[in-house]
Amino acid sequence: MKEKAPLLIVDDEQNIRRILQVAFEKVGYEVLTAENGLDALRVLESTPVQCILSDVTMPEMTGFELHDAVCEKYPDTPFIIMTAYGTIPQAVAAIRKGAFEFITKPFDLDSLKKIVAAACGDAGAQSQKPKKGSVRASGTSFIAESPQMVEILETVRRVADARASVLITGESGTGKEVVAKLLHEFSPRAGAPFVAASCAAIPESLLESELFGYEKGAFTGAQNSKPGRFELAHEGTLFLDEIGDVPPLIQVKLLRVLQEREFERLGATKPTKVDVRLITATNRDLYKMVEEGLYRLDLLYRLQVVEIHLPPLRERIEDIRPLAEHFLAKFAAENARNLKALSPIALATLESGSWPGNVRELGNVIERAVVMAGKDEEILDLHHLPNALRAA
């Protein structure tokens, strides 16, 4: 391994410190240890480290207090939290404040090594991230000018290289899959597969086999083994849309994948390890579903380590013009039309719309208008728009 700054392991239990030190030294890391948060800060004052791995419950200074101090003094140092089940909500809050990842105790050493490797490999690697203030990403057609969406792009910039799960919320048609693809495109996993699936579009009876795969003979008609979406996305990103539609049995299996980084195919006798960054999306209120007993709170914590909420198009009118111009150019080229611009009255009409279908609806309206226009027309005008939109 290329020589780098050491890891810093912080835990008040000597046995844990020793086990982790030996495990990471075996794979080539230099390791420093500290028995509490104050001791860790003293180490940091004299020695730069490439990653901090810290327990939560310690005397004098908790792991969360140490994280806050590190964020203030050493904001570029990845911080990984080792937490018990009862402190998962605080760990999630720490992720939102900048921690790299959390892992629950008792932890799997192989999973922990992968998380540390990702943290150390990504630290300081900013070349693939979108620049702050950027509003167009060619690979994903992320187009926006509103302050809300520019802030979302900055959130994407901050979390793209993390391993943490991301939950994208918002009304249908707001662009949740576009944001998921952007997170993948600007992550270290960009060269690996991006696999997408809609949990609502797959029949409940088939959802388990679609996600986790099956072995030959697992059920009638299973003549060959088949990998599921998790295996297909190995070392890449899996995007599950409509995650609120997942039934309870699948919720249990999803929780295990997120915690243990492993699952079992249908009919399998041993687990399959997998390295996947999970991004999910929903237009439903998952906390309300938890209150109604329809959704697991522990799974929600795991999915919602980072949440990105996309506002509806009616609340970000500044985005309608650049989006409409993008769709105009796209559909004019696809349909051999000569349209080059929107008339002022057509643009004003679009900006006054309520857009219950959001960006998807705007794209459909522009596509219809382009198709209805004459081949020699250069301006998309009011009469090209649907009657209902003009009347409104």
Side-chain angles (χ1 to χ4, degrees), residues 214-258:
Y214 55 82
E215 297 290 346
K216 180 179 179 180
F219 51 84
T220 303
Q223 298 181 359
N224 297 290
S225 297
K226 178 185 174 183
R229 305 296 174 95
F230 272 94
E231 283 182 87
L232 295 175
H234 181 60
E235 297 186 340
T237 301
L238 176 61
F239 173 60
L240 297 182
D241 199 3
E242 305 298 347
I243 195 67
D245 290 73
V246 172
L249 175 63
I250 309 300
Q251 291 178 33
V252 174
K253 297 199 73 170
L254 282 175
L255 182 62
R256 180 180 179 185
V257 176
L258 290 169

mmCIF file of all heavy atoms in Angstrom, residues 214-258:
data_model
loop_
_atom_site.group_PDB
_atom_site.id
_atom_site.type_symbol
_atom_site.label_atom_id
_atom_site.label_comp_id
_atom_site.label_asym_id
_atom_site.label_seq_id
_atom_site.Cartn_x
_atom_site.Cartn_y
_atom_site.Cartn_z
ATOM 1 N N TYR A 214 -32.134 -15.732 -7.645
ATOM 2 C CA TYR A 214 -32.538 -17.056 -7.187
ATOM 3 C C TYR A 214 -31.610 -18.118 -7.760
ATOM 4 O O TYR A 214 -30.916 -17.909 -8.754
ATOM 5 C CB TYR A 214 -33.986 -17.354 -7.577
ATOM 6 C CG TYR A 214 -34.297 -17.218 -9.049
ATOM 7 C CD1 TYR A 214 -34.016 -18.246 -9.957
ATOM 8 C CD2 TYR A 214 -34.906 -16.066 -9.540
ATOM 9 C CE1 TYR A 214 -34.316 -18.129 -11.304
ATOM 10 C CE2 TYR A 214 -35.204 -15.928 -10.881
ATOM 11 C CZ TYR A 214 -34.915 -16.960 -11.765
ATOM 12 O OH TYR A 214 -35.204 -16.831 -13.093
ATOM 13 N N GLU A 215 -31.611 -19.281 -7.083
ATOM 14 C CA GLU A 215 -30.829 -20.425 -7.513
ATOM 15 C C GLU A 215 -31.684 -21.344 -8.392
ATOM 16 O O GLU A 215 -32.919 -21.336 -8.307
ATOM 17 C CB GLU A 215 -30.313 -21.208 -6.298
ATOM 18 C CG GLU A 215 -29.368 -20.442 -5.405
ATOM 19 C CD GLU A 215 -28.016 -20.179 -6.051
ATOM 20 O OE1 GLU A 215 -27.709 -20.820 -7.084
ATOM 21 O OE2 GLU A 215 -27.264 -19.337 -5.529
ATOM 22 N N LYS A 216 -31.037 -22.137 -9.195
ATOM 23 C CA LYS A 216 -31.733 -23.122 -10.019
ATOM 24 C C LYS A 216 -32.544 -24.055 -9.120
ATOM 25 O O LYS A 216 -32.065 -24.567 -8.116
ATOM 26 C CB LYS A 216 -30.717 -23.927 -10.831
ATOM 27 C CG LYS A 216 -31.328 -24.986 -11.726
ATOM 28 C CD LYS A 216 -30.246 -25.724 -12.502
ATOM 29 C CE LYS A 216 -30.842 -26.813 -13.376
ATOM 30 N NZ LYS A 216 -29.787 -27.549 -14.137
ATOM 31 N N GLY A 217 -33.825 -24.235 -9.467
ATOM 32 C CA GLY A 217 -34.688 -25.109 -8.694
ATOM 33 C C GLY A 217 -35.302 -24.472 -7.464
ATOM 34 O O GLY A 217 -35.969 -25.151 -6.683
ATOM 35 N N ALA A 218 -35.101 -23.166 -7.270
ATOM 36 C CA ALA A 218 -35.643 -22.501 -6.075
ATOM 37 C C ALA A 218 -37.165 -22.523 -6.068
ATOM 38 O O ALA A 218 -37.788 -22.524 -5.007
ATOM 39 C CB ALA A 218 -35.137 -21.063 -5.987
ATOM 40 N N PHE A 219 -37.782 -22.548 -7.221
ATOM 41 C CA PHE A 219 -39.241 -22.617 -7.337
ATOM 42 C C PHE A 219 -39.571 -23.196 -8.706
ATOM 43 O O PHE A 219 -38.693 -23.335 -9.569
ATOM 44 C CB PHE A 219 -39.884 -21.238 -7.149
ATOM 45 C CG PHE A 219 -39.275 -20.156 -8.003
ATOM 46 C CD1 PHE A 219 -39.675 -19.967 -9.323
ATOM 47 C CD2 PHE A 219 -38.276 -19.333 -7.492
ATOM 48 C CE1 PHE A 219 -39.114 -18.982 -10.108
ATOM 49 C CE2 PHE A 219 -37.704 -18.340 -8.272
ATOM 50 C CZ PHE A 219 -38.126 -18.161 -9.587
ATOM 51 N N THR A 220 -40.801 -23.535 -8.919
ATOM 52 C CA THR A 220 -41.229 -24.110 -10.194
ATOM 53 C C THR A 220 -40.946 -23.148 -11.332
ATOM 54 O O THR A 220 -41.369 -21.985 -11.295
ATOM 55 C CB THR A 220 -42.736 -24.439 -10.161
ATOM 56 O OG1 THR A 220 -42.987 -25.328 -9.072
ATOM 57 C CG2 THR A 220 -43.179 -25.081 -11.467
ATOM 58 N N GLY A 221 -40.218 -23.611 -12.316
ATOM 59 C CA GLY A 221 -39.876 -22.760 -13.450
ATOM 60 C C GLY A 221 -38.490 -22.148 -13.369
ATOM 61 O O GLY A 221 -38.013 -21.552 -14.337
ATOM 62 N N ALA A 222 -37.825 -22.272 -12.219
ATOM 63 C CA ALA A 222 -36.465 -21.727 -12.066
ATOM 64 C C ALA A 222 -35.466 -22.735 -12.619
ATOM 65 O O ALA A 222 -34.843 -23.505 -11.885
ATOM 66 C CB ALA A 222 -36.172 -21.419 -10.601
ATOM 67 N N GLN A 223 -35.314 -22.745 -13.934
ATOM 68 C CA GLN A 223 -34.464 -23.734 -14.595
ATOM 69 C C GLN A 223 -32.985 -23.349 -14.572
ATOM 70 O O GLN A 223 -32.120 -24.179 -14.816
ATOM 71 C CB GLN A 223 -34.940 -23.935 -16.038
ATOM 72 C CG GLN A 223 -36.365 -24.471 -16.111
ATOM 73 C CD GLN A 223 -36.843 -24.687 -17.535
ATOM 74 O OE1 GLN A 223 -36.122 -24.413 -18.498
ATOM 75 N NE2 GLN A 223 -38.064 -25.179 -17.674
ATOM 76 N N ASN A 224 -32.719 -22.084 -14.308
ATOM 77 C CA ASN A 224 -31.334 -21.611 -14.212
ATOM 78 C C ASN A 224 -31.222 -20.616 -13.072
ATOM 79 O O ASN A 224 -32.213 -19.999 -12.665
ATOM 80 C CB ASN A 224 -30.895 -20.938 -15.521
ATOM 81 C CG ASN A 224 -30.888 -21.896 -16.691
ATOM 82 O OD1 ASN A 224 -30.060 -22.791 -16.770
ATOM 83 N ND2 ASN A 224 -31.834 -21.704 -17.610
ATOM 84 N N SER A 225 -30.014 -20.451 -12.546
ATOM 85 C CA SER A 225 -29.785 -19.411 -11.534
ATOM 86 C C SER A 225 -29.820 -18.039 -12.186
ATOM 87 O O SER A 225 -29.474 -17.887 -13.365
ATOM 88 C CB SER A 225 -28.429 -19.627 -10.853
ATOM 89 O OG SER A 225 -28.406 -20.860 -10.169
ATOM 90 N N LYS A 226 -30.244 -17.042 -11.415
ATOM 91 C CA LYS A 226 -30.334 -15.687 -11.950
ATOM 92 C C LYS A 226 -29.891 -14.685 -10.889
ATOM 93 O O LYS A 226 -30.387 -14.730 -9.760
ATOM 94 C CB LYS A 226 -31.769 -15.373 -12.380
ATOM 95 C CG LYS A 226 -31.952 -13.952 -12.910
ATOM 96 C CD LYS A 226 -33.406 -13.647 -13.203
ATOM 97 C CE LYS A 226 -33.592 -12.187 -13.593
ATOM 98 N NZ LYS A 226 -35.014 -11.849 -13.824
ATOM 99 N N PRO A 227 -28.975 -13.779 -11.221
ATOM 100 C CA PRO A 227 -28.594 -12.742 -10.253
ATOM 101 C C PRO A 227 -29.683 -11.682 -10.131
ATOM 102 O O PRO A 227 -30.406 -11.408 -11.088
ATOM 103 C CB PRO A 227 -27.316 -12.153 -10.868
ATOM 104 C CG PRO A 227 -27.484 -12.369 -12.340
ATOM 105 C CD PRO A 227 -28.219 -13.670 -12.479
ATOM 106 N N GLY A 228 -29.792 -11.108 -8.944
ATOM 107 C CA GLY A 228 -30.755 -10.031 -8.736
ATOM 108 C C GLY A 228 -30.117 -8.669 -8.952
ATOM 109 O O GLY A 228 -28.948 -8.548 -9.332
ATOM 110 N N ARG A 229 -30.890 -7.625 -8.707
ATOM 111 C CA ARG A 229 -30.409 -6.258 -8.949
ATOM 112 C C ARG A 229 -29.221 -5.907 -8.064
ATOM 113 O O ARG A 229 -28.337 -5.163 -8.481
ATOM 114 C CB ARG A 229 -31.547 -5.245 -8.730
ATOM 115 C CG ARG A 229 -32.804 -5.518 -9.554
ATOM 116 C CD ARG A 229 -32.566 -5.411 -11.034
ATOM 117 N NE ARG A 229 -33.749 -5.807 -11.785
ATOM 118 C CZ ARG A 229 -34.669 -4.962 -12.245
ATOM 119 N NH1 ARG A 229 -34.555 -3.662 -12.018
ATOM 120 N NH2 ARG A 229 -35.708 -5.408 -12.927
ATOM 121 N N PHE A 230 -29.199 -6.436 -6.828
ATOM 122 C CA PHE A 230 -28.068 -6.134 -5.945
ATOM 123 C C PHE A 230 -26.768 -6.688 -6.531
ATOM 124 O O PHE A 230 -25.737 -6.001 -6.516
ATOM 125 C CB PHE A 230 -28.308 -6.696 -4.546
ATOM 126 C CG PHE A 230 -29.053 -5.768 -3.632
ATOM 127 C CD1 PHE A 230 -30.430 -5.857 -3.511
ATOM 128 C CD2 PHE A 230 -28.385 -4.792 -2.917
ATOM 129 C CE1 PHE A 230 -31.134 -4.991 -2.692
ATOM 130 C CE2 PHE A 230 -29.070 -3.919 -2.086
ATOM 131 C CZ PHE A 230 -30.446 -4.021 -1.973
ATOM 132 N N GLU A 231 -26.791 -7.906 -7.025
ATOM 133 C CA GLU A 231 -25.578 -8.474 -7.620
ATOM 134 C C GLU A 231 -25.181 -7.735 -8.889
ATOM 135 O O GLU A 231 -23.990 -7.516 -9.146
ATOM 136 C CB GLU A 231 -25.799 -9.955 -7.924
ATOM 137 C CG GLU A 231 -25.720 -10.848 -6.703
ATOM 138 C CD GLU A 231 -25.907 -12.301 -7.059
ATOM 139 O OE1 GLU A 231 -24.907 -12.968 -7.410
ATOM 140 O OE2 GLU A 231 -27.053 -12.780 -6.979
ATOM 141 N N LEU A 232 -26.172 -7.356 -9.692
ATOM 142 C CA LEU A 232 -25.869 -6.645 -10.934
ATOM 143 C C LEU A 232 -25.224 -5.288 -10.661
ATOM 144 O O LEU A 232 -24.469 -4.773 -11.487
ATOM 145 C CB LEU A 232 -27.149 -6.460 -11.756
ATOM 146 C CG LEU A 232 -27.796 -7.746 -12.284
ATOM 147 C CD1 LEU A 232 -29.124 -7.424 -12.969
ATOM 148 C CD2 LEU A 232 -26.864 -8.464 -13.255
ATOM 149 N N ALA A 233 -25.528 -4.714 -9.490
ATOM 150 C CA ALA A 233 -24.983 -3.398 -9.141
ATOM 151 C C ALA A 233 -23.719 -3.494 -8.295
ATOM 152 O O ALA A 233 -23.253 -2.480 -7.765
ATOM 153 C CB ALA A 233 -26.034 -2.584 -8.387
ATOM 154 N N HIS A 234 -23.122 -4.677 -8.168
ATOM 155 C CA HIS A 234 -21.943 -4.865 -7.317
ATOM 156 C C HIS A 234 -20.846 -3.850 -7.660
ATOM 157 O O HIS A 234 -20.489 -3.662 -8.822
ATOM 158 C CB HIS A 234 -21.410 -6.286 -7.471
ATOM 159 C CG HIS A 234 -20.225 -6.584 -6.621
ATOM 160 N ND1 HIS A 234 -20.247 -6.497 -5.243
ATOM 161 C CD2 HIS A 234 -18.954 -6.966 -6.956
ATOM 162 C CE1 HIS A 234 -19.065 -6.826 -4.765
ATOM 163 N NE2 HIS A 234 -18.257 -7.104 -5.776
ATOM 164 N N GLU A 235 -20.326 -3.188 -6.622
ATOM 165 C CA GLU A 235 -19.295 -2.143 -6.722
ATOM 166 C C GLU A 235 -19.809 -0.866 -7.388
ATOM 167 O O GLU A 235 -19.043 0.051 -7.633
ATOM 168 C CB GLU A 235 -18.044 -2.666 -7.435
ATOM 169 C CG GLU A 235 -17.359 -3.797 -6.680
ATOM 170 C CD GLU A 235 -16.050 -4.220 -7.318
ATOM 171 O OE1 GLU A 235 -15.843 -3.927 -8.512
ATOM 172 O OE2 GLU A 235 -15.237 -4.848 -6.614
ATOM 173 N N GLY A 236 -21.101 -0.834 -7.665
ATOM 174 C CA GLY A 236 -21.689 0.355 -8.267
ATOM 175 C C GLY A 236 -22.801 0.911 -7.399
ATOM 176 O O GLY A 236 -22.725 0.885 -6.170
ATOM 177 N N THR A 237 -23.876 1.383 -8.051
ATOM 178 C CA THR A 237 -24.982 2.043 -7.361
ATOM 179 C C THR A 237 -26.288 1.368 -7.738
ATOM 180 O O THR A 237 -26.541 1.099 -8.917
ATOM 181 C CB THR A 237 -25.058 3.526 -7.751
ATOM 182 O OG1 THR A 237 -23.820 4.167 -7.408
ATOM 183 C CG2 THR A 237 -26.192 4.230 -7.021
ATOM 184 N N LEU A 238 -27.118 1.091 -6.749
ATOM 185 C CA LEU A 238 -28.464 0.566 -6.980
ATOM 186 C C LEU A 238 -29.465 1.638 -6.597
ATOM 187 O O LEU A 238 -29.452 2.136 -5.470
ATOM 188 C CB LEU A 238 -28.697 -0.706 -6.161
ATOM 189 C CG LEU A 238 -30.113 -1.308 -6.248
ATOM 190 C CD1 LEU A 238 -30.460 -1.701 -7.680
ATOM 191 C CD2 LEU A 238 -30.240 -2.509 -5.310
ATOM 192 N N PHE A 239 -30.344 1.999 -7.535
ATOM 193 C CA PHE A 239 -31.386 3.000 -7.282
ATOM 194 C C PHE A 239 -32.732 2.297 -7.243
ATOM 195 O O PHE A 239 -33.166 1.703 -8.238
ATOM 196 C CB PHE A 239 -31.379 4.064 -8.374
ATOM 197 C CG PHE A 239 -32.539 5.029 -8.272
ATOM 198 C CD1 PHE A 239 -32.713 5.807 -7.134
ATOM 199 C CD2 PHE A 239 -33.452 5.158 -9.314
ATOM 200 C CE1 PHE A 239 -33.778 6.690 -7.026
ATOM 201 C CE2 PHE A 239 -34.509 6.046 -9.219
ATOM 202 C CZ PHE A 239 -34.675 6.816 -8.082
ATOM 203 N N LEU A 240 -33.392 2.332 -6.089
ATOM 204 C CA LEU A 240 -34.711 1.746 -5.923
ATOM 205 C C LEU A 240 -35.743 2.851 -5.766
ATOM 206 O O LEU A 240 -35.780 3.550 -4.749
ATOM 207 C CB LEU A 240 -34.739 0.817 -4.698
ATOM 208 C CG LEU A 240 -33.829 -0.411 -4.764
ATOM 209 C CD1 LEU A 240 -33.998 -1.260 -3.500
ATOM 210 C CD2 LEU A 240 -34.108 -1.249 -6.008
ATOM 211 N N ASP A 241 -36.563 3.027 -6.794
ATOM 212 C CA ASP A 241 -37.623 4.038 -6.759
ATOM 213 C C ASP A 241 -38.853 3.446 -6.077
ATOM 214 O O ASP A 241 -39.019 2.222 -6.010
ATOM 215 C CB ASP A 241 -37.957 4.468 -8.187
ATOM 216 C CG ASP A 241 -38.680 5.804 -8.218
ATOM 217 O OD1 ASP A 241 -38.873 6.411 -7.140
ATOM 218 O OD2 ASP A 241 -39.059 6.237 -9.320
ATOM 219 N N GLU A 242 -39.712 4.327 -5.566
ATOM 220 C CA GLU A 242 -40.935 3.912 -4.866
ATOM 221 C C GLU A 242 -40.620 2.924 -3.748
ATOM 222 O O GLU A 242 -41.261 1.885 -3.596
ATOM 223 C CB GLU A 242 -41.922 3.295 -5.867
ATOM 224 C CG GLU A 242 -42.261 4.167 -7.050
ATOM 225 C CD GLU A 242 -42.950 5.481 -6.683
ATOM 226 O OE1 GLU A 242 -43.395 5.621 -5.521
ATOM 227 O OE2 GLU A 242 -43.035 6.369 -7.545
ATOM 228 N N ILE A 243 -39.645 3.271 -2.921
ATOM 229 C CA ILE A 243 -39.214 2.380 -1.844
ATOM 230 C C ILE A 243 -40.303 2.216 -0.785
ATOM 231 O O ILE A 243 -40.289 1.256 -0.010
ATOM 232 C CB ILE A 243 -37.903 2.906 -1.194
ATOM 233 C CG1 ILE A 243 -37.230 1.830 -0.331
ATOM 234 C CG2 ILE A 243 -38.164 4.178 -0.381
ATOM 235 C CD1 ILE A 243 -36.712 0.664 -1.116
ATOM 236 N N GLY A 244 -41.261 3.118 -0.750
ATOM 237 C CA GLY A 244 -42.370 2.992 0.192
ATOM 238 C C GLY A 244 -43.316 1.859 -0.137
ATOM 239 O O GLY A 244 -44.145 1.479 0.694
ATOM 240 N N ASP A 245 -43.219 1.293 -1.350
ATOM 241 C CA ASP A 245 -44.096 0.205 -1.764
ATOM 242 C C ASP A 245 -43.533 -1.179 -1.435
ATOM 243 O O ASP A 245 -44.123 -2.190 -1.810
ATOM 244 C CB ASP A 245 -44.365 0.291 -3.269
ATOM 245 C CG ASP A 245 -45.248 1.470 -3.626
ATOM 246 O OD1 ASP A 245 -44.766 2.613 -3.570
ATOM 247 O OD2 ASP A 245 -46.429 1.255 -3.945
ATOM 248 N N VAL A 246 -42.388 -1.229 -0.757
ATOM 249 C CA VAL A 246 -41.762 -2.511 -0.431
ATOM 250 C C VAL A 246 -42.525 -3.183 0.715
ATOM 251 O O VAL A 246 -42.730 -2.568 1.766
ATOM 252 C CB VAL A 246 -40.286 -2.307 -0.045
ATOM 253 C CG1 VAL A 246 -39.676 -3.589 0.481
ATOM 254 C CG2 VAL A 246 -39.501 -1.809 -1.247
ATOM 255 N N PRO A 247 -42.931 -4.446 0.559
ATOM 256 C CA PRO A 247 -43.677 -5.141 1.621
ATOM 257 C C PRO A 247 -42.783 -5.512 2.798
ATOM 258 O O PRO A 247 -41.549 -5.506 2.685
ATOM 259 C CB PRO A 247 -44.199 -6.400 0.912
ATOM 260 C CG PRO A 247 -43.245 -6.625 -0.218
ATOM 261 C CD PRO A 247 -42.797 -5.265 -0.660
ATOM 262 N N PRO A 248 -43.375 -5.844 3.954
ATOM 263 C CA PRO A 248 -42.592 -6.098 5.183
ATOM 264 C C PRO A 248 -41.501 -7.144 5.033
ATOM 265 O O PRO A 248 -40.403 -6.968 5.561
ATOM 266 C CB PRO A 248 -43.665 -6.541 6.181
ATOM 267 C CG PRO A 248 -44.922 -5.867 5.711
ATOM 268 C CD PRO A 248 -44.832 -5.858 4.224
ATOM 269 N N LEU A 249 -41.754 -8.250 4.335
ATOM 270 C CA LEU A 249 -40.746 -9.302 4.204
ATOM 271 C C LEU A 249 -39.503 -8.772 3.496
ATOM 272 O O LEU A 249 -38.369 -9.056 3.915
ATOM 273 C CB LEU A 249 -41.319 -10.495 3.426
ATOM 274 C CG LEU A 249 -40.318 -11.622 3.114
ATOM 275 C CD1 LEU A 249 -39.804 -12.251 4.410
ATOM 276 C CD2 LEU A 249 -40.958 -12.681 2.224
ATOM 277 N N ILE A 250 -39.696 -7.991 2.463
ATOM 278 C CA ILE A 250 -38.554 -7.438 1.720
ATOM 279 C C ILE A 250 -37.861 -6.368 2.542
ATOM 280 O O ILE A 250 -36.642 -6.184 2.445
ATOM 281 C CB ILE A 250 -38.998 -6.876 0.360
ATOM 282 C CG1 ILE A 250 -39.821 -7.910 -0.392
ATOM 283 C CG2 ILE A 250 -37.788 -6.460 -0.470
ATOM 284 C CD1 ILE A 250 -39.083 -9.193 -0.684
ATOM 285 N N GLN A 251 -38.610 -5.657 3.387
ATOM 286 C CA GLN A 251 -37.992 -4.654 4.256
ATOM 287 C C GLN A 251 -36.952 -5.305 5.166
ATOM 288 O O GLN A 251 -35.869 -4.752 5.384
ATOM 289 C CB GLN A 251 -39.062 -3.962 5.105
ATOM 290 C CG GLN A 251 -39.998 -3.060 4.310
ATOM 291 C CD GLN A 251 -41.071 -2.441 5.198
ATOM 292 O OE1 GLN A 251 -40.836 -2.165 6.370
ATOM 293 N NE2 GLN A 251 -42.251 -2.240 4.643
ATOM 294 N N VAL A 252 -37.259 -6.494 5.679
ATOM 295 C CA VAL A 252 -36.313 -7.215 6.544
ATOM 296 C C VAL A 252 -35.045 -7.552 5.773
ATOM 297 O O VAL A 252 -33.919 -7.383 6.275
ATOM 298 C CB VAL A 252 -36.965 -8.491 7.100
ATOM 299 C CG1 VAL A 252 -35.939 -9.315 7.885
ATOM 300 C CG2 VAL A 252 -38.148 -8.141 7.994
ATOM 301 N N LYS A 253 -35.179 -8.035 4.538
ATOM 302 C CA LYS A 253 -34.012 -8.417 3.751
ATOM 303 C C LYS A 253 -33.193 -7.189 3.341
ATOM 304 O O LYS A 253 -31.962 -7.241 3.302
ATOM 305 C CB LYS A 253 -34.445 -9.205 2.516
ATOM 306 C CG LYS A 253 -35.146 -10.518 2.840
ATOM 307 C CD LYS A 253 -35.164 -11.478 1.672
ATOM 308 C CE LYS A 253 -33.799 -12.084 1.419
ATOM 309 N NZ LYS A 253 -33.840 -13.196 0.443
ATOM 310 N N LEU A 254 -33.866 -6.078 3.061
ATOM 311 C CA LEU A 254 -33.143 -4.851 2.739
ATOM 312 C C LEU A 254 -32.319 -4.382 3.936
ATOM 313 O O LEU A 254 -31.178 -3.933 3.784
ATOM 314 C CB LEU A 254 -34.125 -3.749 2.317
ATOM 315 C CG LEU A 254 -34.683 -3.819 0.910
ATOM 316 C CD1 LEU A 254 -35.731 -2.727 0.710
ATOM 317 C CD2 LEU A 254 -33.576 -3.675 -0.128
ATOM 318 N N LEU A 255 -32.903 -4.465 5.113
ATOM 319 C CA LEU A 255 -32.187 -4.052 6.318
ATOM 320 C C LEU A 255 -30.931 -4.890 6.506
ATOM 321 O O LEU A 255 -29.863 -4.368 6.844
ATOM 322 C CB LEU A 255 -33.097 -4.179 7.537
ATOM 323 C CG LEU A 255 -32.501 -3.739 8.874
ATOM 324 C CD1 LEU A 255 -32.131 -2.273 8.845
ATOM 325 C CD2 LEU A 255 -33.472 -4.025 10.008
ATOM 326 N N ARG A 256 -31.022 -6.179 6.242
ATOM 327 C CA ARG A 256 -29.851 -7.039 6.407
ATOM 328 C C ARG A 256 -28.760 -6.667 5.400
ATOM 329 O O ARG A 256 -27.578 -6.636 5.738
ATOM 330 C CB ARG A 256 -30.234 -8.508 6.234
ATOM 331 C CG ARG A 256 -29.014 -9.412 6.418
ATOM 332 C CD ARG A 256 -29.304 -10.870 6.265
ATOM 333 N NE ARG A 256 -28.068 -11.627 6.430
ATOM 334 C CZ ARG A 256 -27.961 -12.925 6.259
ATOM 335 N NH1 ARG A 256 -29.025 -13.631 5.911
ATOM 336 N NH2 ARG A 256 -26.807 -13.531 6.412
ATOM 337 N N VAL A 257 -29.146 -6.401 4.159
ATOM 338 C CA VAL A 257 -28.143 -6.015 3.161
ATOM 339 C C VAL A 257 -27.426 -4.749 3.594
ATOM 340 O O VAL A 257 -26.199 -4.629 3.480
ATOM 341 C CB VAL A 257 -28.796 -5.796 1.776
ATOM 342 C CG1 VAL A 257 -27.762 -5.310 0.768
ATOM 343 C CG2 VAL A 257 -29.414 -7.085 1.272
ATOM 344 N N LEU A 258 -28.175 -3.787 4.103
ATOM 345 C CA LEU A 258 -27.574 -2.520 4.496
ATOM 346 C C LEU A 258 -26.674 -2.670 5.711
ATOM 347 O O LEU A 258 -25.658 -1.986 5.829
ATOM 348 C CB LEU A 258 -28.677 -1.490 4.772
ATOM 349 C CG LEU A 258 -29.431 -1.001 3.526
ATOM 350 C CD1 LEU A 258 -30.664 -0.209 3.928
ATOM 351 C CD2 LEU A 258 -28.521 -0.148 2.657
#
